[in-house]
Amino acid sequence: MNKLLLLILLCLLSLLLIFINYNITVKNSTASHTFKQPPKRVVALSWSITEDLLELGITPLAIADVTGYRQWVVHPKLPSNVIDLGARQEPNLERLASLKPDVILVDGEQASLVRTLHKIAPVLSFSTYQKDHDNVLAAKNVFLRLADLFQRQALAQQRLHQLDQSLAKKAALLKAHFMVGNRSSLPKVVSIRFNNASLLWVYGDNSMPQYALKKLGMEPALPEKSSKWGVTQRKVIALAKINNGIVLYFEPVGAVGDLFTSPIWQAMPFVKKKHYSAVAPVWSYGGLMSIGYIANGITAALLKIEP
């Protein structure tokens, strides 16, 4: 028997043993389910869970609001063959049932759907965002539990290592960019998302953007307390408090009208200094790996600003 054939047989045997020995119980926010084999026909009604699946090399059969995902989340890229089930809070149940999924994955915001969804297939609900816990640690836990379910533990660890390496490299890049003389003078930074021309959301403690900024070595220019989603709604005028910091706003900006040409905006200290920049679309309420995409966007935006 040649070596290639032997290698193929050993790989097939390994796969067979995985399925013979596979018997995993996955605990979620409401209950637990035991699976005899990794689910193949997977439906995700949560964007953050969709992210996790794609990062683990799993393409879901269908998700909720494909158009919204491609506009707001963007990364990781959603394959073109993924079926759209409609709104995240009101998915098309008839179409969902016709797909005969092995498992339906939802988040804590879709808890009201669980009882109905259970009539179609086993449901796993993961609650990442809560006020009384660390959202980043919760997101990591969800990522690893999904890796267990789909037997992607090695890939999950590889992705975690890559995330740490990427954050460290970007922190070093920004430190060098903001070098003044022989010293690096990292600016204070706040990340925001516009609601409209008068209101915005400030990302603070317990948010993915603030965690990304911290890993990049940045301190907050407009500190906010921890909350469920890590955001606090403020009036746009609140940004006038920022004298020496940098303001980063996530795209798409929505209905801000002529805000950027208004006297109020033009009078802001950071605007006069050109210490503001747009961050390319990325989901700021996503899964663990969204931190890497947020850091990518933040780094690119900060590199556009002169020290």
Side-chain angles (χ1 to χ4, degrees):
M1 186 180 297
N2 62 52
K3 292 183 178 179
L4 179 59
L5 180 58
L6 179 60
L7 180 61
I8 292 173
L9 288 174
L10 287 174
C11 289
L12 291 174
L13 179 60
S14 297
L15 289 172
L16 180 62
L17 288 173
I18 287 175
F19 282 95
I20 291 175
N21 296 323
Y22 185 94
N23 189 358
I24 184 169
T25 299
V26 180
K27 294 182 179 180
N28 61 80
S29 301
T30 57
S32 62
H33 294 275
T34 299
F35 295 84
K36 299 299 182 181
Q37 64 181 23
K40 294 181 179 179
R41 300 178 65 82
V42 183
V43 168
L45 300 182
S46 158
W47 284 348
S48 63
I49 292 175
T50 298
E51 288 178 336
D52 285 340
L53 292 175
L54 294 172
E55 293 290 348
L56 290 170
I58 299 161
T59 299
L61 180 64
I63 74 164
D65 193 358
V66 165
T67 300
Y69 181 97
R70 291 189 172 128
Q71 178 183 8
W72 293 93
V73 185
V74 183
H75 305 291
K77 186 177 181 180
L78 189 68
S80 60
N81 62 335
V82 175
I83 297 169
D84 191 344
L85 292 173
R88 285 175 289 168
Q89 295 300 332
E90 296 181 359
N92 187 324
L93 297 177
E94 184 177 352
R95 190 173 192 187
L96 173 54
S98 72
L99 297 175
K100 302 184 184 306
D102 296 328
V103 66
I104 302 171
L105 304 172
V106 302
D107 63 27
E109 301 306 301
Q110 298 161 322
S112 62
L113 299 173
V114 171
R115 182 174 295 181
T116 300
L117 295 174
H118 263 306
K119 298 175 183 178
I120 298 174
V123 180
L124 292 178
S125 175
F126 300 102
S127 186
T128 298
Y129 290 86
Q130 293 183 24
K131 184 178 180 180
D132 58 354
H133 72 200
D134 185 319
N135 287 336
V136 173
L137 289 179
K140 182 178 181 179
N141 187 36
V142 172
F143 184 66
L144 292 176
R145 280 188 288 173
L146 289 172
D148 287 340
L149 175 62
F150 294 101
Q151 293 290 280
R152 303 293 174 95
Q153 295 95 333
L155 178 58
Q157 291 302 323
Q158 180 184 359
R159 299 294 291 117
L160 291 175
H161 180 64
Q162 290 171 342
L163 176 60
D164 288 340
Q165 285 187 317
S166 177
L167 291 172
K169 288 179 180 178
K170 287 176 176 58
L173 183 64
L174 289 171
K175 186 176 181 180
H177 176 72
F178 287 102
M179 187 73 69
V180 178
N182 294 322
R183 292 185 59 189
S184 180
S185 181
L186 291 174
K188 291 185 177 181
V189 181
V190 62
S191 60
I192 65 171
R193 192 179 289 276
F194 286 104
N195 189 352
N196 52 46
S198 59
L199 295 173
L200 51 80
W201 294 100
V202 179
Y203 290 98
D205 290 344
N206 217 23
S207 72
M208 296 298 183
Q210 184 59 38
Y211 180 83
L213 282 167
K214 182 179 179 180
K215 297 298 287 186
L216 294 174
M218 308 294 171
E219 293 184 4
L222 194 62
E224 292 289 354
K225 294 181 179 179
S226 176
S227 64
K228 177 179 178 178
W229 298 98
V231 294
T232 303
Q233 191 176 66
R234 298 293 183 201
K235 292 182 179 180
V236 170
I237 194 64
L239 297 177
K241 299 176 183 177
I242 303 171
N243 291 312
N244 298 315
I246 291 175
V247 174
L248 301 179
Y249 60 89
F250 288 96
E251 295 181 322
V253 294
V256 297
D258 59 356
L259 172 63
F260 294 143
T261 58
S262 68
I264 290 178
W265 182 261
Q266 294 298 322
M268 299 280 187
F270 65 88
V271 174
K272 291 180 178 179
K273 298 174 183 177
K274 297 182 179 181
H275 283 180
Y276 68 100
S277 186
V279 179
V282 61
W283 194 227
S284 44
Y285 311 101
L288 184 70
M289 291 300 138
S290 68
I291 294 169
Y293 296 111
I294 292 170
N296 290 346
I298 285 175
T299 300
L302 287 173
L303 289 175
K304 296 177 183 177
I305 297 174
E306 291 296 324

